Amino acid sequence: MLSFESDYIEGAHEKILQRLIESNMEQVTGYGADPYCESAKAKIKEACGNPDAEVHFLVGGTQTNMIVIHTMLRPYEGVVAARTGHVSLHEAGAIEAHGHKVLPLPQHQGKLRADDLQEYLEGFWQDENHEHMVFPGMVYISHPTEYGTLYSKKELEELAALCREYKLPLYMDGARLGYALASNNTDVTLPVIADLCDVFYIGGTKVGALCGEAVVFTRHNTPRHFMTMVKQQGALLAKGRLLGIQFDTLFTDNLYYKISRHAIEMAELLKKGFRHKGCRFYLESPTNQQFLIIEDAEAERLKANVVLSFWERTDETHAVYRFATSWATKREDVEALLTIM
Amino acid sequence: MLSFESDYIEGAHEKILQRLIESNMEQVTGYGADPYCESAKAKIKEACGNPDAEVHFLVGGTQTNMIVIHTMLRPYEGVVAARTGHVSLHEAGAIEAHGHKVLPLPQHQGKLRADDLQEYLEGFWQDENHEHMVFPGMVYISHPTEYGTLYSKKELEELAALCREYKLPLYMDGARLGYALASNNTDVTLPVIADLCDVFYIGGTKVGALCGEAVVFTRHNTPRHFMTMVKQQGALLAKGRLLGIQFDTLFTDNLYYKISRHAIEMAELLKKGFRHKGCRFYLESPTNQQFLIIEDAEAERLKANVVLSFWERTDETHAVYRFATSWATKREDVEALLTIM
Amino acid sequence: MLSFESDYIEGAHEKILQRLIESNMEQVTGYGADPYCESAKAKIKEACGNPDAEVHFLVGGTQTNMIVIHTMLRPYEGVVAARTGHVSLHEAGAIEAHGHKVLPLPQHQGKLRADDLQEYLEGFWQDENHEHMVFPGMVYISHPTEYGTLYSKKELEELAALCREYKLPLYMDGARLGYALASNNTDVTLPVIADLCDVFYIGGTKVGALCGEAVVFTRHNTPRHFMTMVKQQGALLAKGRLLGIQFDTLFTDNLYYKISRHAIEMAELLKKGFRHKGCRFYLESPTNQQFLIIEDAEAERLKANVVLSFWERTDETHAVYRFATSWATKREDVEALLTIM
Amino acid sequence: MLSFESDYIEGAHEKILQRLIESNMEQVTGYGADPYCESAKAKIKEACGNPDAEVHFLVGGTQTNMIVIHTMLRPYEGVVAARTGHVSLHEAGAIEAHGHKVLPLPQHQGKLRADDLQEYLEGFWQDENHEHMVFPGMVYISHPTEYGTLYSKKELEELAALCREYKLPLYMDGARLGYALASNNTDVTLPVIADLCDVFYIGGTKVGALCGEAVVFTRHNTPRHFMTMVKQQGALLAKGRLLGIQFDTLFTDNLYYKISRHAIEMAELLKKGFRHKGCRFYLESPTNQQFLIIEDAEAERLKANVVLSFWERTDETHAVYRFATSWATKREDVEALLTIM
């Protein structure tokens, strides 16, 4: 069976496994106070072009979103997000379970638009009853979005300017950040992100690690006693080295970018092939996730040879399916898939 | 100054005050275990035509919503509500602060429609990723709605049937329930509500009491140790008599209905007058809240003599204002307002 | 039946009821923005000798504790309290339900001692693992305590000095504050409390009001958007006037003190009588609550004529019972009780 | 430097790493629905002698405690634990942050005693005010305890009988369970635990895994939609295989027991050596953690060659230090340490 089900169907990049083995019997202190975490943090700060950034490692994406949002907001605040944002829809209510409303705004191919944000913020502050409402306390965006789309630098600048005006931190969910950075034609680099966002995370789980996300606070704005709150949320690994070693490896010799670039190349190959075959795209995605609208009978036929990842129905006889490439995707699998389609 | 700002600008109906005075020096047990609470509960059960109903008194509307919802839901569940529902918008995130998402559906003049609910519920259960989403755990409606509109008996039956099919409790927020029951042409009586809803509350604060709401569980479905959870939310009055005496008075000699009926008569007078003056209605409301679209210059002129209750802007030069009558509204004030308009 | 069951078995002081009636048909704005609340706040500030104090009205004691504690603490912080503190034992877990641990310290007749507090605080900060523990974020005391005992000014000063040293707000639960202020021989006045505490509340429910507590923040330290968080906890009354009118009355012509003084006089009469009868005191209480150890058979005999308030067992055949006086206690009832004993 | 700082200073057992490598490029479904998780669950059920057990994998100990406790309790319930229990002291308030009080009972070398539990439970239900208190909803024990001590089978039976009588689930925190099972002279086997406890977890992080704990529900009592609540707490790994592969390896060929046995042998060697050297034990521990009372000057001297793990002070000049062995401890390191002492 071929599978383009997601970008987390394999284990970890081999260099990560190799470093785990090499370092295995070294005795290091727990809870993230080990030299691997230190080294990884230094490399990430350098990659961000921000020597003052503060880096923390967490285990997964929902965990990271819930902890960053919960520790940065006050009880009267919620987080603004596109209606399709991961925090809005697919985290099982993690944000609400920790006390905060997700304030949904319109989405445009998964993206939040500055004009929608501005209209909402102006409306909120003009509303005479706003003290009976949830205050906007943070703006959440994902990059790439849940639909694989990307913000341009200009779009990010507009959002960031609005956030500054309204004194709201801008938070970027970078679960698949590598695939954004390695995309063709993007003008959004890691230093750009570190400059425009108040906090963001660099996804590891979906970009070659076994698990792990690196949260970056860019304005000396790590919430006080962050580590204690991480512990309180059950998110502090005793063997913090597991995260340190992985990110240290990913940020050595540009590995994070290189393996992401491979995924993009495979995705571009897929796109080209799909287009050649006359497949119908749900939208234009410049990253590792491609979305096709497939007729039900055809989908059934494909399932004999391909693990299909259902996304959503479009009408009675068609549905959207996701095809994701990753650092681990093999060219021959791409070719095999294209042959079958 | 004339004021139709809201239905909570006066104190309490005089009979309530009189009963407070008469009973003042009687010594009774605290925390709701007093004879006034018992008597009030018995009268409410009778008015509901449901001798098995379980009645509990709480202090205010948001408190009641938050406690009913929090104690009936499991952590993985949220509450479905119209996008304009009070729990969605104007309770400062009380539902989320207690851990649950409000799942917003389209609204039609403030109402939730069975077809929208059905579409959502079918979609949820068909979604292959629904285990990563918030489960619908309850359906919330308000009657009258936040826009003064009412459900018909048929509409309630449709919602109730869907709720039964999906095993979801149907919860009615009756902050202004009296004004619904006393409306012209409604076919929704208290026994109908007690029959169709799994839980609802009879609003006191906005219908003649100083404070207080009566929650009615209709299916032996009071959550276990409800009183302890009420205490845990800071909602258990030491002098529970304050609520018992008020509801006992409101449910003696049909007072709750009579004073609501007065408000409806005053509202109908207002509507007739507004129509005669050519005012522009935002929507048709059969209850005590009337919504007019007023041009800004005209609104400014009115403010010299009338306390206006801003609702929302409709365009650059117009806004919606609410005019609410109540048990306390004087006919001469209605006439004075109409003269000014 | 005679009843000294508690200080909340009657309604409200007659002057409060009178003012409710007089003001009943006045139209005022809701949610605490009415002139009665304003007037009451001014009078309380004056009584505290602190024109900069910030006063807010809430409905009940547990609600007040939970809101003050929740809004002042950060997620990693807990509240330090005597093991017998109301927040530790008898609020059904309200503090924990809102996310915070109650950090219990030894109690001495209900009181927290500065040396215990100091030992705990030093121990916490010296503990190498304290980042894995709940941080002390506030110190809670009750005055009178749950056992009717009082802090001396010197004891409060010691606690306050420690709190300042460790940058912890000192919070006083004054559910029965009137009875402390009116006690014989106390050197703790309202201005002393307003000087030493960062936040405290003046109890209304147990001192002559139908309901209501006045929270006083003494250092311009009301948490930001406090009102929104009050709403979020279901604690904002639409008819805020109910609280304003009551506290305005209680703080007019020294009524709060006068009615508390009456309770103290009745309690002293009881104490003298109990002593004369050879009753066994559980402890020496200078306020309105008296605790006797009564043999079971004697308790059974008394129950024919007196509502007894069980406190706790001391051994197989004896238990502690509470006798509470209040603003409403009648001298003849005291005498009747003493005749029976 | 020698280090016996903890049992999580090395990586993972080499067989685990080997299996991670072997399986690395296999494509499997995410979120725990992979064949490795299935296989590991089957092996754990067999080791428990309970084919009906339900097994779930989580990442760390605090996370497991917080999720098991939060998902099994109702809002009015708390968890009973020894005052020194990990959930009481060293989880940064994770239980309270999720809404529940830890109800502390006396500890005896870290253990909860049935008579203390019985006294508390009887007292709670006899207390006339118990509806204003937190209800006991679960009993938490750790085995080994935080002091390395063990329950006997008889002690567990007594606790389990009480729990059944009061309808409370008995929950065992087995963060170091391997070291309990492999201890000399214990009569508590995995099937005994699976028989007596309603839920427990088998610790991986401290017994040879990189991370991971296996929760076992023994009475078909997994809370409904457990996985969704795991996701909601940010604890669901996308690459669930990471946990499946590790536990599958640990429960193949008795590896979990074998590596634990090694740690016990090393600990016994240490104990014998310490005793021979005349060291002062803080208590008698039959597992991998040994606690010595060391004079401050001596501790300073040792620190030149040994990483010391401070536990707590005993007096002005002495403190307790922990020496932990593990699956990774080398005999030569034990000997080197003994030479230095």
Side-chain angles (χ1 to χ4, degrees):
Chain A
M1 287 292 281
L2 288 171
S3 178
F4 291 81
E5 194 186 350
S6 75
D7 33 23
Y8 43 85
I9 50 176
E10 288 93 1
H13 190 273
E14 60 178 345
K15 288 203 179 150
I16 284 178
L17 292 180
Q18 189 184 325
R19 289 289 295 279
L20 284 174
I21 291 165
E22 289 165 7
S23 63
N24 192 48
M25 292 307 288
E26 289 174 24
Q27 296 184 323
V28 302
T29 295
Y31 302 113
D34 61 87
Y36 294 102
C37 285
E38 280 319 293
S39 169
K41 288 177 184 187
K43 289 174 184 169
I44 288 172
K45 284 190 248 187
E46 203 190 321
C48 290
N50 181 345
D52 291 342
E54 296 153 353
V55 183
H56 306 269
F57 299 114
L58 290 168
V59 179
T62 294
Q63 183 181 82
T64 301
N65 286 335
M66 126 201 159
I67 288 178
V68 168
I69 291 169
H70 180 54
T71 61
M72 292 192 79
L73 294 188
R74 292 286 300 146
Y76 53 86
E77 295 174 328
V79 56
V80 180
R83 212 173 289 288
T84 47
H86 207 253
V87 290
S88 303
L89 281 188
H90 288 110
E91 300 193 346
I95 308 307
E96 294 83 1
H98 292 82
H100 302 281
K101 194 180 186 73
V102 181
L103 298 156
L105 289 192
Q107 58 90 16
H108 305 274
Q109 299 201 323
K111 292 197 278 180
L112 187 67
R113 236 158 51 186
D115 54 355
D116 289 323
L117 179 59
Q118 181 158 20
E119 186 186 330
Y120 159 72
L121 291 171
E122 283 176 3
F124 175 82
W125 287 102
Q126 281 167 13
D127 191 322
E128 296 187 10
N129 294 314
H130 72 259
E131 292 203 326
H132 287 209
M133 297 166 76
V134 175
F135 282 65
M138 173 184 263
V139 173
Y140 165 98
I141 54 174
S142 38
H143 183 77
T145 67
E146 294 70 17
Y147 289 94
T149 52
L150 293 179
Y151 289 88
S152 69
K153 188 176 173 192
K154 183 161 168 296
E155 288 171 329
L156 285 185
E157 284 169 344
E158 285 169 3
L159 288 170
L162 261 176
C163 284
R164 265 194 299 275
E165 183 184 342
Y166 284 91
K167 297 192 168 47
L168 297 172
L170 178 60
Y171 170 45
M172 179 186 283
D173 175 337
R176 296 184 166 90
L177 193 57
Y179 306 127
L181 299 173
S183 171
N184 296 334
N185 303 321
T186 181
D187 55 359
V188 176
T189 62
L190 201 48
V192 164
I193 291 168
D195 182 43
L196 294 175
C197 295
D198 299 277
V199 52
F200 67 98
Y201 80 86
I202 301 170
T205 305
K206 288 159 186 162
V207 194
L210 288 166
C211 63
E213 324 294 323
V215 187
V216 185
F217 290 93
T218 63
R219 319 252 193 263
H220 295 295
N221 56 338
T222 303
R224 279 197 72 194
H225 297 302
F226 187 70
M227 183 184 138
T228 299
M229 294 190 286
V230 166
K231 173 79 182 170
Q232 190 179 67
Q233 295 301 332
L236 189 64
L237 288 192
K239 292 179 178 167
R241 70 199 289 156
L242 173 58
L243 303 176
I245 290 165
Q246 293 187 91
F247 274 97
D248 195 49
T249 308
L250 287 170
F251 280 82
T252 297
D253 295 338
N254 216 13
L255 184 65
Y256 190 71
Y257 181 83
K258 284 179 196 163
I259 66 179
S260 300
R261 186 61 208 157
H262 171 76
I264 294 297
E265 283 163 8
M266 293 301 103
E268 291 295 323
L269 212 60
L270 260 187
K271 270 164 80 168
K272 204 174 133 191
F274 285 157
R275 230 175 249 127
H276 190 251
K277 297 266 180 180
C279 296
R280 197 168 143 212
F281 286 83
Y282 179 56
L283 46 63
E284 162 67 26
S285 157
T287 58
N288 74 315
Q289 299 184 92
Q290 298 298 321
F291 300 86
L292 294 186
I293 299 174
I294 303 179
E295 206 265 315
D296 290 349
E298 168 72 0
E300 279 312 304
R301 192 185 66 78
L302 287 171
K303 282 180 190 169
N305 300 299
V306 187
V307 181
L308 280 194
S309 177
F310 174 88
W311 209 245
E312 62 193 54
R313 292 215 69 78
T314 52
D315 62 35
E316 290 293 296
T317 53
H318 294 80
V320 180
Y321 294 88
R322 177 179 71 173
F323 295 83
T325 63
S326 80
W327 56 276
T329 303
K330 292 177 197 140
R331 187 176 289 260
E332 57 262 38
D333 285 355
V334 172
E335 286 160 0
L337 175 64
L338 290 173
T339 308
I340 294 168
M341 298 289 287
Chain B
M1 287 292 281
L2 288 169
S3 177
F4 291 82
E5 194 185 349
S6 75
D7 34 23
Y8 44 86
I9 53 178
E10 288 92 1
H13 191 274
E14 61 178 344
K15 286 201 180 152
I16 283 178
L17 292 180
Q18 191 184 322
R19 289 289 296 281
L20 284 175
I21 290 166
E22 288 165 8
S23 64
N24 193 48
M25 293 306 289
E26 289 173 25
Q27 295 183 324
V28 302
T29 295
Y31 301 114
D34 61 88
Y36 293 104
C37 285
E38 280 318 293
S39 170
K41 288 176 184 187
K43 288 174 184 169
I44 287 171
K45 285 190 246 187
E46 202 191 322
C48 290
N50 183 344
D52 291 341
E54 297 154 350
V55 183
H56 306 268
F57 299 114
L58 291 168
V59 178
T62 294
Q63 183 180 83
T64 302
N65 286 335
M66 122 200 161
I67 288 178
V68 168
I69 292 169
H70 180 52
T71 60
M72 292 192 78
L73 295 189
R74 292 286 301 146
Y76 53 86
E77 295 175 327
V79 56
V80 179
R83 212 172 289 288
T84 48
H86 207 252
V87 291
S88 303
L89 280 187
H90 288 109
E91 301 194 344
I95 308 308
E96 292 85 359
H98 292 82
H100 302 281
K101 192 178 188 75
V102 181
L103 298 156
L105 289 192
Q107 58 91 16
H108 305 274
Q109 298 202 325
K111 291 197 279 180
L112 187 67
R113 240 162 45 190
D115 53 356
D116 289 324
L117 178 59
Q118 182 158 18
E119 186 187 331
Y120 159 72
L121 291 171
E122 283 176 3
F124 176 82
W125 288 103
Q126 282 166 11
D127 191 322
E128 296 187 11
N129 294 312
H130 73 259
E131 291 202 328
H132 287 210
M133 299 168 73
V134 175
F135 281 66
M138 173 184 265
V139 173
Y140 165 98
I141 55 175
S142 39
H143 183 77
T145 67
E146 295 69 20
Y147 288 95
T149 52
L150 293 179
Y151 289 88
S152 68
K153 188 176 170 190
K154 183 162 169 295
E155 288 170 330
L156 285 185
E157 284 169 344
E158 287 168 4
L159 289 170
L162 261 177
C163 285
R164 263 194 299 275
E165 184 184 340
Y166 284 91
K167 295 193 171 46
L168 297 172
L170 177 61
Y171 170 45
M172 180 185 282
D173 175 337
R176 295 184 167 91
L177 192 58
Y179 306 127
L181 300 173
S183 171
N184 295 333
N185 303 322
T186 181
D187 54 359
V188 176
T189 62
L190 201 47
V192 163
I193 291 168
D195 182 43
L196 294 175
C197 296
D198 298 276
V199 53
F200 66 99
Y201 80 87
I202 302 170
T205 306
K206 287 159 186 165
V207 194
L210 288 165
C211 62
E213 324 294 323
V215 187
V216 185
F217 289 92
T218 63
R219 319 252 194 263
H220 296 293
N221 55 337
T222 303
R224 278 197 74 194
H225 298 302
F226 187 70
M227 184 184 138
T228 299
M229 295 190 286
V230 166
K231 173 79 181 170
Q232 190 179 66
Q233 295 301 333
L236 188 64
L237 288 191
K239 291 177 178 168
R241 69 199 289 156
L242 172 58
L243 303 176
I245 290 165
Q246 293 187 93
F247 273 97
D248 194 49
T249 308
L250 286 170
F251 279 83
T252 298
D253 295 338
N254 217 12
L255 185 64
Y256 190 71
Y257 181 83
K258 284 179 196 162
I259 65 180
S260 299
R261 185 62 206 158
H262 170 77
I264 294 298
E265 282 164 8
M266 293 302 102
E268 291 296 322
L269 213 60
L270 260 186
K271 269 164 81 168
K272 202 173 134 192
F274 285 158
R275 229 173 249 130
H276 190 251
K277 296 268 180 178
C279 296
R280 198 170 142 210
F281 287 84
Y282 179 56
L283 48 62
E284 164 66 25
S285 156
T287 59
N288 75 315
Q289 299 185 93
Q290 299 298 321
F291 299 87
L292 295 185
I293 299 172
I294 303 179
E295 204 264 314
D296 291 349
E298 170 71 0
E300 278 314 302
R301 193 186 64 79
L302 287 171
K303 282 180 188 167
N305 300 299
V306 187
V307 181
L308 280 192
S309 176
F310 174 88
W311 210 244
E312 62 190 56
R313 292 214 69 79
T314 50
D315 64 34
E316 289 294 295
T317 54
H318 294 80
V320 180
Y321 294 89
R322 177 178 71 172
F323 295 83
T325 64
S326 79
W327 56 277
T329 303
K330 292 178 196 140
R331 186 175 290 261
E332 57 262 36
D333 285 357
V334 172
E335 286 160 359
L337 175 64
L338 291 173
T339 309
I340 293 166
M341 299 288 290
Chain C
M1 287 292 281
L2 287 170
S3 178
F4 291 81
E5 194 185 349
S6 76
D7 34 23
Y8 43 85
I9 51 178
E10 288 93 2
H13 191 273
E14 60 178 344
K15 287 200 180 154
I16 284 177
L17 291 181
Q18 192 185 322
R19 290 287 298 279
L20 284 175
I21 291 166
E22 288 165 9
S23 63
N24 192 48
M25 293 306 288
E26 288 174 23
Q27 295 183 323
V28 301
T29 295
Y31 301 113
D34 62 87
Y36 294 103
C37 284
E38 280 318 292
S39 170
K41 288 177 183 187
K43 287 173 184 170
I44 287 171
K45 286 190 244 186
E46 203 191 320
C48 290
N50 181 345
D52 291 341
E54 296 154 351
V55 183
H56 306 268
F57 299 114
L58 291 169
V59 178
T62 294
Q63 184 181 82
T64 302
N65 286 335
M66 122 200 161
I67 288 178
V68 168
I69 291 169
H70 179 53
T71 61
M72 293 191 79
L73 295 188
R74 292 285 300 146
Y76 53 85
E77 295 175 327
V79 55
V80 180
R83 212 173 288 287
T84 48
H86 207 254
V87 290
S88 303
L89 280 188
H90 288 108
E91 300 193 345
I95 308 308
E96 293 84 0
H98 292 82
H100 302 282
K101 192 178 187 76
V102 181
L103 297 155
L105 289 191
Q107 58 92 15
H108 305 273
Q109 298 202 324
K111 291 196 280 180
L112 187 67
R113 240 161 46 187
D115 53 357
D116 289 325
L117 179 59
Q118 181 158 19
E119 186 185 331
Y120 159 72
L121 291 171
E122 283 176 3
F124 175 82
W125 288 103
Q126 283 166 12
D127 191 322
E128 296 187 12
N129 292 315
H130 74 260
E131 291 203 328
H132 288 208
M133 298 167 74
V134 175
F135 282 65
M138 174 184 263
V139 173
Y140 165 98
I141 55 174
S142 39
H143 182 77
T145 67
E146 294 70 19
Y147 288 95
T149 52
L150 292 178
Y151 288 88
S152 68
K153 188 176 170 190
K154 184 162 168 295
E155 288 170 330
L156 285 186
E157 284 168 345
E158 287 169 3
L159 288 170
L162 261 177
C163 285
R164 264 194 299 276
E165 184 184 340
Y166 283 91
K167 294 194 171 44
L168 298 172
L170 178 60
Y171 170 44
M172 180 185 282
D173 176 337
R176 296 185 165 91
L177 192 58
Y179 306 128
L181 300 173
S183 171
N184 295 333
N185 302 323
T186 181
D187 55 359
V188 176
T189 62
L190 201 48
V192 163
I193 291 167
D195 182 42
L196 295 175
C197 295
D198 298 277
V199 52
F200 66 99
Y201 80 87
I202 302 171
T205 305
K206 288 159 186 163
V207 194
L210 288 165
C211 62
E213 325 293 324
V215 186
V216 185
F217 289 93
T218 63
R219 319 252 193 263
H220 295 295
N221 55 338
T222 303
R224 278 198 74 194
H225 298 302
F226 186 70
M227 183 183 137
T228 299
M229 293 190 286
V230 166
K231 174 79 182 169
Q232 190 179 67
Q233 295 301 333
L236 189 64
L237 288 191
K239 292 177 177 168
R241 69 201 288 157
L242 173 58
L243 303 176
I245 289 165
Q246 294 188 92
F247 274 97
D248 195 49
T249 307
L250 287 170
F251 280 84
T252 297
D253 296 337
N254 217 11
L255 184 65
Y256 190 72
Y257 181 84
K258 283 179 196 165
I259 65 179
S260 299
R261 185 63 205 156
H262 170 75
I264 294 298
E265 281 164 9
M266 293 302 101
E268 291 295 324
L269 213 60
L270 260 187
K271 271 165 80 170
K272 203 173 133 191
F274 285 158
R275 228 173 249 128
H276 190 253
K277 295 268 179 178
C279 295
R280 198 169 143 211
F281 287 84
Y282 178 56
L283 49 59
E284 163 66 26
S285 156
T287 59
N288 75 315
Q289 298 185 94
Q290 299 298 322
F291 299 87
L292 294 186
I293 298 173
I294 303 179
E295 204 265 315
D296 290 349
E298 169 70 359
E300 279 312 304
R301 193 187 64 79
L302 288 171
K303 282 180 189 169
N305 300 298
V306 187
V307 182
L308 280 193
S309 176
F310 174 88
W311 211 245
E312 61 190 56
R313 293 215 67 81
T314 51
D315 63 35
E316 290 293 296
T317 53
H318 295 80
V320 180
Y321 294 89
R322 177 178 71 171
F323 295 83
T325 63
S326 81
W327 56 278
T329 303
K330 292 177 196 140
R331 185 175 291 260
E332 57 262 36
D333 284 358
V334 172
E335 286 160 0
L337 175 64
L338 290 174
T339 308
I340 294 166
M341 299 288 289
Chain D
M1 287 291 282
L2 288 170
S3 177
F4 291 81
E5 195 185 348
S6 74
D7 33 24
Y8 43 86
I9 51 177
E10 288 93 2
H13 190 274
E14 60 179 344
K15 288 202 179 151
I16 285 178
L17 293 180
Q18 190 185 324
R19 289 290 295 280
L20 285 174
I21 290 165
E22 289 164 7
S23 64
N24 193 48
M25 293 306 288
E26 289 174 23
Q27 295 184 323
V28 301
T29 295
Y31 302 115
D34 61 87
Y36 294 103
C37 285
E38 280 318 292
S39 169
K41 288 176 184 188
K43 287 175 183 168
I44 287 171
K45 284 190 248 186
E46 202 191 321
C48 290
N50 181 346
D52 290 341
E54 296 154 352
V55 183
H56 306 268
F57 299 113
L58 291 168
V59 179
T62 294
Q63 183 181 83
T64 302
N65 286 335
M66 127 201 157
I67 288 178
V68 168
I69 291 169
H70 180 53
T71 60
M72 291 192 79
L73 295 188
R74 292 286 300 146
Y76 52 85
E77 295 175 326
V79 56
V80 179
R83 212 173 291 288
T84 47
H86 207 253
V87 290
S88 303
L89 281 188
H90 288 110
E91 300 192 347
I95 308 307
E96 294 84 1
H98 292 82
H100 302 281
K101 193 179 186 75
V102 180
L103 298 156
L105 289 191
Q107 58 91 13
H108 305 274
Q109 298 202 325
K111 291 197 278 179
L112 188 67
R113 238 160 47 189
D115 53 355
D116 289 324
L117 178 60
Q118 181 158 20
E119 186 186 332
Y120 159 72
L121 291 171
E122 283 176 2
F124 175 82
W125 288 102
Q126 282 166 12
D127 191 322
E128 297 188 9
N129 294 314
H130 73 259
E131 291 204 326
H132 287 209
M133 299 167 74
V134 175
F135 282 65
M138 173 185 264
V139 173
Y140 165 98
I141 54 175
S142 38
H143 182 78
T145 68
E146 294 70 18
Y147 289 96
T149 52
L150 293 179
Y151 288 88
S152 68
K153 187 176 173 192
K154 182 161 170 295
E155 288 170 329
L156 284 186
E157 283 169 343
E158 285 168 2
L159 288 170
L162 260 177
C163 284
R164 264 194 299 274
E165 183 184 342
Y166 283 91
K167 295 193 170 44
L168 296 172
L170 178 60
Y171 170 44
M172 179 186 282
D173 176 337
R176 294 184 167 91
L177 192 58
Y179 306 127
L181 299 174
S183 171
N184 295 333
N185 303 321
T186 182
D187 55 359
V188 176
T189 62
L190 200 47
V192 163
I193 291 168
D195 182 42
L196 295 175
C197 295
D198 298 277
V199 52
F200 67 98
Y201 79 87
I202 302 171
T205 306
K206 288 159 186 164
V207 194
L210 288 165
C211 62
E213 324 294 323
V215 186
V216 185
F217 290 93
T218 62
R219 320 253 193 261
H220 295 295
N221 56 338
T222 304
R224 278 197 73 194
H225 298 303
F226 186 70
M227 182 183 139
T228 300
M229 295 189 286
V230 165
K231 173 78 181 171
Q232 190 179 67
Q233 295 301 334
L236 189 64
L237 288 192
K239 292 178 178 168
R241 70 198 288 155
L242 174 58
L243 303 176
I245 290 165
Q246 293 187 91
F247 274 98
D248 194 50
T249 308
L250 287 171
F251 279 82
T252 298
D253 295 337
N254 216 12
L255 183 66
Y256 190 70
Y257 181 83
K258 284 181 196 162
I259 65 180
S260 300
R261 186 61 206 158
H262 171 76
I264 294 298
E265 282 164 9
M266 293 301 103
E268 291 296 323
L269 211 61
L270 260 187
K271 270 164 80 169
K272 202 174 136 193
F274 285 158
R275 228 175 251 127
H276 190 253
K277 295 268 180 178
C279 296
R280 198 168 143 211
F281 285 84
Y282 179 56
L283 47 62
E284 164 65 27
S285 157
T287 58
N288 75 313
Q289 299 184 92
Q290 299 298 322
F291 299 87
L292 295 186
I293 299 173
I294 303 179
E295 205 264 316
D296 290 350
E298 169 71 359
E300 279 312 304
R301 192 185 66 79
L302 288 171
K303 282 179 190 169
N305 300 300
V306 187
V307 181
L308 280 192
S309 176
F310 174 87
W311 210 246
E312 61 192 56
R313 292 215 68 80
T314 51
D315 64 34
E316 290 294 295
T317 53
H318 294 79
V320 179
Y321 294 88
R322 178 179 70 172
F323 296 82
T325 63
S326 79
W327 56 277
T329 303
K330 293 178 195 138
R331 187 175 290 261
E332 57 262 37
D333 284 356
V334 172
E335 286 159 0
L337 175 65
L338 290 173
T339 308
I340 294 166
M341 298 289 287

